[in-house]
Amino acid sequence: MEQISGKLKPTRVRYGMLALIFVNVAINYLDRANLSVAAPALSKDLNLSTVELGLIFSAFGWAYAALQIPGGLLADRIGPRVLYAVCLITWSLATMGQGFVRGFASLFSLRLATGTFEAPSYPINNRVVTSWFPDNERASAIAMYVSGQFIGLAFLAPVLGTVQVYFGWKGLFIGTGLVGVVWGIIWYFLYRDPVDHPRVNTAELDYIEKGGGVIRAKTSTKAQATVWNWANLKQIFSNRTLWGVYIGQFSMNATLYFFLTWFPTYLVKYRGMGFIKTGYLSSIPFLAACAGLLISGFLSDKYVRQGTSVSVARKTPIIIGLLLSISIIGANYTDEPAMIIFFMSLAFFGIGMALISWVFVSILSPKNLIGLTGGVFNLMGNLASIVVPIVVGYLVKGGDFKPALIFIAAFGLIGACSYIFLVGKIERPMTALADSSEGKLVS
């Protein structure tokens, strides 16, 4: 092995694992957003009202949000290699099934199934990054894998729009589902945890562990049995700082799920743009969000390395991003396509900046409760995936989209205020284990 000055040079296997997570996230969001691309034609073919369409948009969120805590349990107890492969293949099969639906009930049910099987994905992502990356690289790593949702959709949105035109919405669902099935098999053969990977050396393992990475994420049998004690749940739900982060996550997801659900319909039905043109124009805000995310992640880590307090380095980009997201309301005051896309892109750039928020799960959770904390965090944030599509469906049923954009913009202010006034000093708590015999929390 290569050595420098008598010392073993650390390998960089962690970046390969990050690349795998990036692809997982891209496919994950492709299967969330394909319905939004199909919606204008699908709603016409199936004779769906805006209220029914809003309910179908929300169906994914009902299952996904409800199963975040169980998903965190699975992430803590089952290795990412097996669990992610199973999730990828099952949610992709549910996606393929959407190409054969004939009405509201069957489509709603399959969207529920997609949300169910995707539920463990982000707790797994967080576990992988917490295992493979030290603290001073973690925001950058999170920014890189979360960017998969934006880069994938930005570059594939025109492709999806073209598939929609030539193969219809049925072909769109079947094709995107097939991609996920194939990748699930590839993931299983390529991914390993740090201590199990054949190409990682001890120098890289030491670098990760000394920097705060949890390379031995597997807990003992006794710890696994007690992680889900009520005392641990109480600890997670009673922390004011975490509540500030939860509210902030709900707020940024409100805008995110507008783009993942109603945005293409807004451009086609309410702004009169064609399917292919919409595919290209809708990619611009996703690229802007990706830019915001990467800038935020790398700057945040840079400030941490320079000695800036964790609170300032992690919170500042999120607060600025949430305030920028309010600019979505500007689209209400112009009819120019270029200006509409500008305001949408600026708002989504802000949300991209704010989406490094997953770093707080790694920072604030006790080391043995990372899956639980990640599950609760994603549960609270993804309640927006239920609320926003339904409320927007009701707000636009009269044919006016302006109230819906005001509704979305309000969450930017709410989220910024939450980080300013509720989220205090950022620090990792002591490891907590619940004693199963006495039901007490001990450190």
Side-chain angles (χ1 to χ4, degrees):
M1 294 185 181
E2 186 176 356
Q3 295 186 356
I4 295 180
S5 301
K7 292 185 178 180
L8 190 67
K9 180 180 179 181
T11 50
R12 296 189 174 186
V13 177
R14 62 190 182 279
Y15 298 116
M17 301 301 100
L18 184 61
L20 296 180
I21 289 289
F22 175 92
V23 177
N24 289 358
V25 171
I27 293 173
N28 184 302
Y29 273 80
L30 187 66
D31 290 337
R32 297 189 200 193
N34 53 13
L35 177 61
S36 69
V37 176
L42 179 149
S43 61
K44 182 179 179 180
D45 289 350
L46 301 183
N47 196 28
L48 301 173
S49 68
T50 59
V51 173
E52 288 175 319
L53 188 57
L55 288 169
I56 289 172
F57 278 144
S58 75
F60 172 93
W62 285 101
Y64 186 79
L67 294 174
Q68 281 307 295
I69 293 179
L73 168 62
L74 291 174
D76 278 335
R77 294 193 178 189
I78 302 176
R81 181 190 181 199
V82 173
L83 183 57
Y84 228 143
V86 171
C87 290
L88 276 159
I89 292 170
T90 51
W91 92 55
S92 297
L93 290 173
T95 297
M96 292 176 69
Q98 292 165 51
F100 302 95
V101 298
R102 295 185 177 182
F104 174 87
S106 56
L107 182 55
F108 188 89
S109 298
L110 284 168
R111 293 301 291 182
L112 282 174
T114 305
T116 297
F117 296 125
E118 284 198 22
S121 57
Y122 264 70
I124 301 172
N125 293 342
N126 190 63
R127 173 176 164 170
V128 170
V129 170
T130 303
S131 298
W132 274 101
F133 285 86
D135 290 338
N136 66 355
E137 294 183 5
R138 200 162 295 148
S140 302
I142 290 171
M144 288 298 295
Y145 81 69
V146 174
S147 72
Q149 69 194 49
F150 301 126
I151 292 176
L153 292 175
F155 287 103
L156 292 175
V159 175
L160 295 180
T162 303
V163 171
Q164 165 89 346
V165 170
Y166 290 101
F167 299 99
W169 56 268
K170 296 179 183 290
L172 180 63
F173 286 121
I174 294 170
T176 52
L178 185 60
V179 169
V181 170
V182 173
W183 180 253
I185 297 170
I186 294 173
W187 162 269
Y188 179 80
F189 284 104
L190 294 183
Y191 180 79
R192 297 292 187 280
D193 282 334
V195 294
D196 300 323
H197 202 288
R199 292 193 296 109
V200 69
N201 65 9
T202 55
E204 183 174 15
L205 292 177
D206 289 343
Y207 171 73
I208 295 169
E209 191 167 31
K210 289 177 181 178
V214 188
I215 65 171
R216 293 169 179 85
K218 294 180 181 180
T219 58
S220 67
T221 303
K222 181 178 178 181
Q224 288 180 355
T226 58
V227 160
W228 298 86
N229 185 282
W230 283 109
N232 287 341
L233 284 170
K234 182 180 178 181
Q235 181 189 25
I236 298 300
F237 277 106
S238 62
N239 186 297
R240 191 189 83 161
T241 299
L242 283 174
W243 270 104
V245 174
Y246 297 155
I247 294 170
Q249 191 70 6
F250 180 97
S251 299
M252 64 186 73
N253 275 358
T255 303
L256 173 62
Y257 273 94
F258 163 74
F259 280 95
L260 292 178
T261 56
W262 281 102
F263 181 50
T265 299
Y266 168 71
L267 295 182
V268 172
K269 293 185 66 174
Y270 297 89
R271 291 300 191 173
M273 302 180 192
F275 286 112
I276 294 180
K277 183 178 181 180
T278 294
Y280 283 98
L281 291 179
S282 64
S283 69
I284 298 174
F286 286 101
L287 288 173
C290 180
L293 176 62
L294 294 176
I295 290 170
S296 177
F298 285 102
L299 284 179
S300 180
D301 275 349
K302 178 181 178 181
Y303 292 143
V304 169
R305 287 192 293 269
Q306 290 176 345
T308 304
S309 73
V310 173
S311 292
V312 173
R314 301 310 195 196
K315 287 167 57 179
T316 301
I318 295 175
I319 294 169
I320 293 172
L322 284 163
L323 291 174
L324 279 176
S325 73
I326 301 172
S327 63
I328 195 171
I329 203 171
N332 282 343
Y333 302 99
T334 180
D335 291 322
E336 292 293 327
M339 291 305 297
I340 292 169
I341 297 301
F342 168 77
F343 285 117
M344 293 289 171
S345 299
L346 181 60
F348 216 12
F349 175 86
I351 292 301
M353 290 186 66
L355 281 174
I356 63 166
S357 53
W358 266 98
V359 73
F360 289 115
V361 176
S362 299
I363 295 172
L364 297 173
S365 64
K367 290 186 178 182
N368 65 310
L369 300 180
I370 290 172
L372 172 58
T373 309
V376 173
F377 172 82
N378 220 20
L379 161 65
M380 303 302 290
N382 277 280
L383 292 176
S385 67
I386 301 170
V387 174
V388 170
I390 294 175
V391 172
V392 171
Y394 277 96
L395 290 175
V396 305
K397 67 180 181 179
D400 185 3
F401 220 97
K402 291 181 180 179
L405 294 187
I406 295 172
F407 170 72
I408 298 299
F411 284 107
L413 180 60
I414 293 170
C417 288
S418 180
Y419 270 95
I420 293 169
F421 298 112
L422 286 181
V423 179
K425 184 179 179 181
I426 304 300
E427 58 186 2
R428 183 189 289 280
M430 295 178 67
T431 298
L433 288 174
D435 183 277
S436 58
S437 61
E438 300 180 8
K440 295 180 180 179
L441 198 65
V442 294
S443 296

